[in-house]
Amino acid sequence: MRPTLAMQVLLALATTSLAQVYDTYGSITALAGTANDSDPTILGNYYNYWKLLNNKTTWDLTRSDRLPVTSPKTIPMLGYRSEAIIEPNRTAFMIVDMQNFFLHPKLSPYAVNGRKAVNWGIDSFDLVTMPPSFLDGFSINDQMNTTFCTEMGTLTEDNGTTIELGKKLCRGSWNARPWGPLDPAMVEGLDSGTDLYFNKNRLSGLWGSQTPLGLYLQESQTTTLFIGGVNSDQCVWGNLIDAYFKGFDVIYVEDCAGTTSPWYAEEMVRYNADGDGFLANSTYVIDALNKQK
């Protein structure tokens, strides 16, 4: 059977489309290029790259060939990448899930490490789009009446104060607010413009094609993320690995993270974070920043 005109047009369009799918290397290379084809110390492309300095131990994360650099800081690291240079104006510290639900002693009595050391914020639309396994993970009886955004009742503090917990990890509820001294610190930071607060509806605030957090990081040209919070092997890890997949520099701040999971879960995070980016300790980071003022 001879193809009709309509079929010929469709075949022609299909051929063009397949060419675009299967022969994109040249066009992508022309668009992105590399940071410097002749420099073997550079890893990445023009838009996103690291540079290994001559000492072979320091990684420059500033992308200074294409982005302005104001006051770069050299930060000591703990892993096999021992030192990094960051641009503070493109760097953020992401604090994950330090909320009453996970950290208050009467709600999570075993979260001792977390208390030493991007928050849930569910709404009704989120409940419609969440998969069953996720809903069940936050239910105490495998039913919808105890999962996200269901009433948690009250809590009585040691001083006799009664607190309305509100709906489980639902936006605006007491149990979803930052724990202890972090709450007034958050309010102060929001008022002064030094901090931002993002709700998330999965373990990660960077899942999927776009989220409020992801949009902010993109528009602010943030490239480097220090990451801490709870639980290190769950929501912290979810944010770290999604950030890694999206091309951010990820730095796991070990003393600012904690978990109630077995010890080997934390070891998994440390091991993989070291391979995916950097390991850091806040004491060393703050000390280095103070010396470079």
Side-chain angles (χ1 to χ4, degrees):
M1 181 180 69
R2 297 180 61 187
T4 65
L5 178 61
M7 290 176 64
Q8 289 174 338
V9 172
L10 287 173
L11 287 171
L13 290 174
T15 302
T16 304
S17 298
L18 288 173
Q20 292 174 345
V21 170
Y22 290 110
D23 187 22
T24 58
Y25 179 79
S27 59
I28 291 175
T29 302
L31 175 65
T34 60
N36 187 336
D37 288 332
S38 63
D39 190 344
T41 66
I42 289 181
L43 286 171
N45 58 57
Y46 176 77
Y47 297 97
N48 190 14
Y49 65 89
W50 293 354
K51 183 171 184 177
L52 182 62
L53 300 191
N54 292 334
N55 61 13
K56 303 300 182 183
T57 61
T58 304
W59 292 89
D60 183 349
L61 312 182
T62 63
R63 285 87 168 165
S64 58
D65 288 348
R66 73 171 188 88
L67 292 171
V69 176
T70 57
S71 56
K73 301 291 188 274
T74 301
I75 306 298
M77 301 296 174
L78 303 178
Y80 86 91
R81 298 184 182 99
S82 59
E83 199 169 57
I85 302 174
I86 65 169
E87 167 53 42
N89 287 337
R90 291 190 292 276
T91 301
F93 183 21
M94 185 189 302
I95 304 173
V96 181
D97 287 359
M98 299 288 282
Q99 295 163 283
N100 286 313
F101 180 84
F102 298 103
L103 294 174
H104 192 283
K106 294 201 173 184
L107 291 177
S108 297
Y110 300 106
V112 177
N113 290 335
R115 285 191 291 274
K116 289 180 181 176
V118 176
N119 298 305
W120 283 102
I122 308 297
D123 61 21
S124 55
F125 177 77
D126 296 326
L127 293 177
V128 176
T129 61
M130 283 184 175
S133 60
F134 206 54
L135 294 167
D136 187 48
F138 282 80
S139 171
I140 60 175
N141 63 353
D142 302 321
Q143 296 180 16
M144 286 292 291
N145 62 3
T146 61
T147 190
F148 293 111
C149 289
T150 56
E151 290 290 346
M152 293 184 62
T154 62
L155 176 152
T156 302
E157 295 276 29
D158 292 337
N159 62 5
T161 302
T162 300
I163 297 174
E164 291 286 343
L165 300 178
K167 295 181 177 181
K168 184 183 292 185
L169 293 175
C170 211
R171 297 185 187 186
S173 64
W174 181 89
N175 75 90
R177 292 191 65 82
W179 177 77
L182 289 177
D183 193 44
M186 177 202 70
V187 173
E188 180 182 348
L190 292 176
D191 289 343
S192 64
T194 59
D195 296 340
L196 296 169
Y197 185 99
F198 295 93
N199 290 303
K200 65 184 180 71
N201 56 15
R202 296 294 192 276
L203 295 183
S204 168
L206 291 169
W207 75 283
S209 59
Q210 193 56 279
T211 63
L213 172 60
L215 184 62
Y216 166 76
L217 295 176
Q218 177 182 327
E219 292 184 342
S220 64
Q221 293 191 312
T222 299
T223 56
T224 303
L225 296 175
F226 288 79
I227 303 176
V230 296
N231 281 304
S232 53
D233 57 314
Q234 297 166 31
C235 292
V236 176
W237 174 247
N239 281 277
L240 186 148
I241 198 65
D242 276 349
Y244 166 68
F245 290 151
K246 292 178 184 292
F248 294 96
D249 314 325
V250 291
I251 303 170
Y252 179 65
V253 189
E254 60 164 14
D255 63 318
C256 292
T259 184
T260 57
S261 301
W263 63 270
Y264 48 79
E266 175 66 26
E267 289 300 304
M268 179 280 295
V269 175
R270 285 177 51 84
Y271 176 82
N272 286 288
D274 191 21
D276 296 341
F278 300 83
L279 297 179
N281 180 284
S282 66
T283 300
Y284 302 147
V285 172
I286 294 171
D287 183 58
L289 292 175
N290 287 334
K291 290 179 179 177
Q292 297 173 75
K293 286 183 176 179

